[in-house]
Amino acid sequence: MKTFFTLLATIIFSSARADYGYMKLPELVCNADYGAVGTIVKIDKNYFYLKVDEYVLNRLDSDTLPISKFEDWPCGKRFDKYKVGQKEMVFFRKSNYVIDDYELLGYGGGDEFELPIFRDTIKYQSNYGKLESYRLSEFLIAIKDYATLAAGVKGTSKPLNKSEQIEFAKKSALHKLLIEWKTYSKQKDFEIPGSGMLVNLERNYIYEDYENKILISTQNKDSVYLSVEDADVWKQDNYFIVKPKSGWTSRWLNVYAINARDEQDVLLNQLFEVIELPEPSIYFGSSIKDTIFYSYYDDAIPTVGYYLDELHKDENLSYELLSYDYQIISGKSKEKFSIKSAYGTKEFQDRLQKLKTGDKIIMSNIFVLYPNNKVKQLKPKTVIIKME
């Protein structure tokens, strides 16, 4: 019987490893916002502190970075236990970019973002427990060349021409990997339906001070244009953007043929109500109720979104929870955590695993990024834990 359970555990564990697809190296580099080479000089429960020797991808005004530690899980493990003195290259991002309250987070679920350095070699974890080796000097050249390339086109719509791509790819195999991922990774947002229609991709409203997406589907999408009174309108990818100016309660959206002679040649028009972006709800799991049905620690981690009703969230309006204070009241004890990222720190997660029925959660100082990129503070929210 003991042998059976050992075999079963091995099968389950092996399957779990295969469930997570590790990020490819060019995907990591091209998605990362920052990259730095340095040495770990301090470790605590939540962070490792990287003393920076040099930045290789963008930079921060700091020479020591507190970066959230990676925690081993069945589908991913770190190359080694955290130790002071480990030298590595780290690719990371801020948990948000609109307020000063943020944490530094790595990319990937399997610790791909930490690349250990051993003398003249750097290693990348491409799969569970599998490290690929590169010559450090060549790796640094390729990453810095990519950073220079990315900085040159940042904030512009100008694509790299074919000759620039070819010249970059010739420099090394790693250069080729990076440029191919950079060039071909873009995907369509959605497919255009075959029949003609006018569709608001958010809801049947137009929101003030917001770039509403309007899809006009025709056999030839370039044969029509959209006109809206007292609003900014422009074409983007396969749809139109409509950004109403303030002071109106409704708007006519008028569709014209490209060769229309005057305003009377309208092909289609539709009246939309103009409203403010709605205030989002704080929810846990998939419920906005005041009772949390708890079975695992992430059931007690809040998320923010606009709900059409008690159970259905509007997936087209994107709100981001930036930071908040999280107080746990259990009997006579009170504990407070200041959270700056989606899942908080390891210390916070460990505490959530000890929640029990009747515990009260009070959220306050809740700051949210709205879909129009404005930051607003929400009113406090209180919920009660109930074990499932």
PDB file of all heavy atoms in Angstrom, residues 305-321:
ATOM      1  N   GLY A 305     -13.993  45.103  -9.919  1.00  0.00           N
ATOM      2  CA  GLY A 305     -14.587  45.104 -11.255  1.00  0.00           C
ATOM      3  C   GLY A 305     -15.999  45.648 -11.196  1.00  0.00           C
ATOM      4  O   GLY A 305     -16.593  45.767 -10.112  1.00  0.00           O
ATOM      5  N   TYR A 306     -16.548  45.970 -12.356  1.00  0.00           N
ATOM      6  CA  TYR A 306     -17.927  46.446 -12.402  1.00  0.00           C
ATOM      7  C   TYR A 306     -18.861  45.274 -12.666  1.00  0.00           C
ATOM      8  O   TYR A 306     -18.711  44.567 -13.664  1.00  0.00           O
ATOM      9  CB  TYR A 306     -18.102  47.510 -13.492  1.00  0.00           C
ATOM     10  CG  TYR A 306     -19.526  47.959 -13.632  1.00  0.00           C
ATOM     11  CD1 TYR A 306     -20.210  48.540 -12.555  1.00  0.00           C
ATOM     12  CD2 TYR A 306     -20.220  47.778 -14.827  1.00  0.00           C
ATOM     13  CE1 TYR A 306     -21.523  48.929 -12.673  1.00  0.00           C
ATOM     14  CE2 TYR A 306     -21.540  48.176 -14.956  1.00  0.00           C
ATOM     15  CZ  TYR A 306     -22.181  48.749 -13.877  1.00  0.00           C
ATOM     16  OH  TYR A 306     -23.502  49.132 -13.992  1.00  0.00           O
ATOM     17  N   TYR A 307     -19.828  45.073 -11.780  1.00  0.00           N
ATOM     18  CA  TYR A 307     -20.766  43.956 -11.892  1.00  0.00           C
ATOM     19  C   TYR A 307     -22.100  44.425 -12.459  1.00  0.00           C
ATOM     20  O   TYR A 307     -22.691  45.399 -11.991  1.00  0.00           O
ATOM     21  CB  TYR A 307     -20.966  43.303 -10.527  1.00  0.00           C
ATOM     22  CG  TYR A 307     -20.013  42.151 -10.299  1.00  0.00           C
ATOM     23  CD1 TYR A 307     -18.644  42.360 -10.248  1.00  0.00           C
ATOM     24  CD2 TYR A 307     -20.466  40.846 -10.189  1.00  0.00           C
ATOM     25  CE1 TYR A 307     -17.760  41.318 -10.076  1.00  0.00           C
ATOM     26  CE2 TYR A 307     -19.588  39.791 -10.017  1.00  0.00           C
ATOM     27  CZ  TYR A 307     -18.241  40.032  -9.954  1.00  0.00           C
ATOM     28  OH  TYR A 307     -17.367  38.978  -9.791  1.00  0.00           O
ATOM     29  N   LEU A 308     -22.566  43.703 -13.491  1.00  0.00           N
ATOM     30  CA  LEU A 308     -23.856  44.001 -14.106  1.00  0.00           C
ATOM     31  C   LEU A 308     -24.996  43.601 -13.180  1.00  0.00           C
ATOM     32  O   LEU A 308     -26.054  44.224 -13.156  1.00  0.00           O
ATOM     33  CB  LEU A 308     -23.987  43.261 -15.439  1.00  0.00           C
ATOM     34  CG  LEU A 308     -22.866  43.550 -16.454  1.00  0.00           C
ATOM     35  CD1 LEU A 308     -22.995  42.642 -17.654  1.00  0.00           C
ATOM     36  CD2 LEU A 308     -22.902  44.999 -16.879  1.00  0.00           C
ATOM     37  N   ASP A 309     -24.783  42.519 -12.441  1.00  0.00           N
ATOM     38  CA  ASP A 309     -25.717  42.089 -11.411  1.00  0.00           C
ATOM     39  C   ASP A 309     -24.907  41.369 -10.353  1.00  0.00           C
ATOM     40  O   ASP A 309     -23.688  41.489 -10.306  1.00  0.00           O
ATOM     41  CB  ASP A 309     -26.842  41.203 -11.986  1.00  0.00           C
ATOM     42  CG  ASP A 309     -26.306  40.002 -12.762  1.00  0.00           C
ATOM     43  OD1 ASP A 309     -25.309  39.397 -12.306  1.00  0.00           O
ATOM     44  OD2 ASP A 309     -26.876  39.666 -13.810  1.00  0.00           O
ATOM     45  N   GLU A 310     -25.549  40.590  -9.495  1.00  0.00           N
ATOM     46  CA  GLU A 310     -24.870  40.000  -8.344  1.00  0.00           C
ATOM     47  C   GLU A 310     -23.749  39.044  -8.725  1.00  0.00           C
ATOM     48  O   GLU A 310     -22.776  38.870  -7.991  1.00  0.00           O
ATOM     49  CB  GLU A 310     -25.897  39.265  -7.468  1.00  0.00           C
ATOM     50  CG  GLU A 310     -25.361  38.867  -6.117  1.00  0.00           C
ATOM     51  CD  GLU A 310     -26.441  38.268  -5.237  1.00  0.00           C
ATOM     52  OE1 GLU A 310     -26.639  37.050  -5.301  1.00  0.00           O
ATOM     53  OE2 GLU A 310     -27.092  39.019  -4.495  1.00  0.00           O
ATOM     54  N   LEU A 311     -23.845  38.415  -9.880  1.00  0.00           N
ATOM     55  CA  LEU A 311     -22.866  37.384 -10.252  1.00  0.00           C
ATOM     56  C   LEU A 311     -22.065  37.684 -11.516  1.00  0.00           C
ATOM     57  O   LEU A 311     -21.025  37.077 -11.736  1.00  0.00           O
ATOM     58  CB  LEU A 311     -23.581  36.035 -10.437  1.00  0.00           C
ATOM     59  CG  LEU A 311     -24.192  35.410  -9.185  1.00  0.00           C
ATOM     60  CD1 LEU A 311     -24.952  34.147  -9.561  1.00  0.00           C
ATOM     61  CD2 LEU A 311     -23.119  35.092  -8.157  1.00  0.00           C
ATOM     62  N   HIS A 312     -22.537  38.601 -12.361  1.00  0.00           N
ATOM     63  CA  HIS A 312     -21.926  38.764 -13.681  1.00  0.00           C
ATOM     64  C   HIS A 312     -21.141  40.069 -13.789  1.00  0.00           C
ATOM     65  O   HIS A 312     -21.705  41.153 -13.684  1.00  0.00           O
ATOM     66  CB  HIS A 312     -23.001  38.711 -14.773  1.00  0.00           C
ATOM     67  CG  HIS A 312     -23.740  37.413 -14.799  1.00  0.00           C
ATOM     68  ND1 HIS A 312     -24.926  37.219 -14.133  1.00  0.00           N
ATOM     69  CD2 HIS A 312     -23.436  36.230 -15.383  1.00  0.00           C
ATOM     70  CE1 HIS A 312     -25.331  35.966 -14.315  1.00  0.00           C
ATOM     71  NE2 HIS A 312     -24.448  35.355 -15.071  1.00  0.00           N
ATOM     72  N   LYS A 313     -19.840  39.924 -14.032  1.00  0.00           N
ATOM     73  CA  LYS A 313     -18.954  41.072 -14.172  1.00  0.00           C
ATOM     74  C   LYS A 313     -18.889  41.506 -15.631  1.00  0.00           C
ATOM     75  O   LYS A 313     -18.918  40.679 -16.533  1.00  0.00           O
ATOM     76  CB  LYS A 313     -17.550  40.703 -13.669  1.00  0.00           C
ATOM     77  CG  LYS A 313     -16.590  41.881 -13.630  1.00  0.00           C
ATOM     78  CD  LYS A 313     -15.244  41.495 -13.049  1.00  0.00           C
ATOM     79  CE  LYS A 313     -14.449  40.647 -14.006  1.00  0.00           C
ATOM     80  NZ  LYS A 313     -13.033  40.495 -13.581  1.00  0.00           N
ATOM     81  N   ASP A 314     -18.808  42.817 -15.845  1.00  0.00           N
ATOM     82  CA  ASP A 314     -18.610  43.344 -17.196  1.00  0.00           C
ATOM     83  C   ASP A 314     -17.140  43.162 -17.557  1.00  0.00           C
ATOM     84  O   ASP A 314     -16.271  43.884 -17.068  1.00  0.00           O
ATOM     85  CB  ASP A 314     -18.990  44.823 -17.233  1.00  0.00           C
ATOM     86  CG  ASP A 314     -18.988  45.382 -18.649  1.00  0.00           C
ATOM     87  OD1 ASP A 314     -18.309  44.790 -19.505  1.00  0.00           O
ATOM     88  OD2 ASP A 314     -19.652  46.402 -18.895  1.00  0.00           O
ATOM     89  N   GLU A 315     -16.855  42.187 -18.407  1.00  0.00           N
ATOM     90  CA  GLU A 315     -15.477  41.841 -18.727  1.00  0.00           C
ATOM     91  C   GLU A 315     -14.785  42.879 -19.610  1.00  0.00           C
ATOM     92  O   GLU A 315     -13.565  42.866 -19.756  1.00  0.00           O
ATOM     93  CB  GLU A 315     -15.432  40.470 -19.438  1.00  0.00           C
ATOM     94  CG  GLU A 315     -15.981  39.325 -18.616  1.00  0.00           C
ATOM     95  CD  GLU A 315     -15.099  38.984 -17.411  1.00  0.00           C
ATOM     96  OE1 GLU A 315     -13.948  39.472 -17.366  1.00  0.00           O
ATOM     97  OE2 GLU A 315     -15.565  38.244 -16.535  1.00  0.00           O
ATOM     98  N   ASN A 316     -15.553  43.786 -20.216  1.00  0.00           N
ATOM     99  CA  ASN A 316     -14.960  44.756 -21.124  1.00  0.00           C
ATOM    100  C   ASN A 316     -14.450  46.015 -20.430  1.00  0.00           C
ATOM    101  O   ASN A 316     -13.687  46.772 -21.014  1.00  0.00           O
ATOM    102  CB  ASN A 316     -15.975  45.159 -22.199  1.00  0.00           C
ATOM    103  CG  ASN A 316     -16.304  44.009 -23.123  1.00  0.00           C
ATOM    104  OD1 ASN A 316     -15.428  43.451 -23.761  1.00  0.00           O
ATOM    105  ND2 ASN A 316     -17.564  43.624 -23.177  1.00  0.00           N
ATOM    106  N   LEU A 317     -14.895  46.257 -19.197  1.00  0.00           N
ATOM    107  CA  LEU A 317     -14.403  47.403 -18.441  1.00  0.00           C
ATOM    108  C   LEU A 317     -13.325  46.926 -17.478  1.00  0.00           C
ATOM    109  O   LEU A 317     -13.588  46.124 -16.582  1.00  0.00           O
ATOM    110  CB  LEU A 317     -15.538  48.074 -17.659  1.00  0.00           C
ATOM    111  CG  LEU A 317     -16.550  48.871 -18.484  1.00  0.00           C
ATOM    112  CD1 LEU A 317     -17.562  49.539 -17.571  1.00  0.00           C
ATOM    113  CD2 LEU A 317     -15.853  49.912 -19.349  1.00  0.00           C
ATOM    114  N   SER A 318     -12.131  47.436 -17.654  1.00  0.00           N
ATOM    115  CA  SER A 318     -10.985  46.941 -16.900  1.00  0.00           C
ATOM    116  C   SER A 318     -10.618  47.899 -15.763  1.00  0.00           C
ATOM    117  O   SER A 318     -10.155  49.018 -16.000  1.00  0.00           O
ATOM    118  CB  SER A 318      -9.780  46.764 -17.833  1.00  0.00           C
ATOM    119  OG  SER A 318      -8.653  46.340 -17.127  1.00  0.00           O
ATOM    120  N   TYR A 319     -10.849  47.456 -14.525  1.00  0.00           N
ATOM    121  CA  TYR A 319     -10.444  48.193 -13.331  1.00  0.00           C
ATOM    122  C   TYR A 319      -9.293  47.436 -12.665  1.00  0.00           C
ATOM    123  O   TYR A 319      -9.264  46.204 -12.676  1.00  0.00           O
ATOM    124  CB  TYR A 319     -11.596  48.312 -12.337  1.00  0.00           C
ATOM    125  CG  TYR A 319     -12.770  49.132 -12.821  1.00  0.00           C
ATOM    126  CD1 TYR A 319     -13.761  48.567 -13.619  1.00  0.00           C
ATOM    127  CD2 TYR A 319     -12.894  50.469 -12.467  1.00  0.00           C
ATOM    128  CE1 TYR A 319     -14.844  49.315 -14.068  1.00  0.00           C
ATOM    129  CE2 TYR A 319     -13.978  51.230 -12.904  1.00  0.00           C
ATOM    130  CZ  TYR A 319     -14.946  50.647 -13.703  1.00  0.00           C
ATOM    131  OH  TYR A 319     -16.011  51.391 -14.128  1.00  0.00           O
ATOM    132  N   GLU A 320      -8.359  48.181 -12.070  1.00  0.00           N
ATOM    133  CA  GLU A 320      -7.206  47.537 -11.431  1.00  0.00           C
ATOM    134  C   GLU A 320      -7.096  47.987  -9.984  1.00  0.00           C
ATOM    135  O   GLU A 320      -7.057  49.186  -9.691  1.00  0.00           O
ATOM    136  CB  GLU A 320      -5.920  47.886 -12.175  1.00  0.00           C
ATOM    137  CG  GLU A 320      -4.688  47.235 -11.574  1.00  0.00           C
ATOM    138  CD  GLU A 320      -3.405  47.639 -12.285  1.00  0.00           C
ATOM    139  OE1 GLU A 320      -3.491  48.278 -13.353  1.00  0.00           O
ATOM    140  OE2 GLU A 320      -2.315  47.322 -11.762  1.00  0.00           O
ATOM    141  N   LEU A 321      -7.059  47.026  -9.081  1.00  0.00           N
ATOM    142  CA  LEU A 321      -6.878  47.313  -7.660  1.00  0.00           C
ATOM    143  C   LEU A 321      -5.396  47.597  -7.422  1.00  0.00           C
ATOM    144  O   LEU A 321      -4.550  46.724  -7.598  1.00  0.00           O
ATOM    145  CB  LEU A 321      -7.348  46.109  -6.840  1.00  0.00           C
ATOM    146  CG  LEU A 321      -7.471  46.255  -5.330  1.00  0.00           C
ATOM    147  CD1 LEU A 321      -8.353  47.439  -4.948  1.00  0.00           C
ATOM    148  CD2 LEU A 321      -8.022  44.972  -4.723  1.00  0.00           C
TER     149      LEU A 321
END
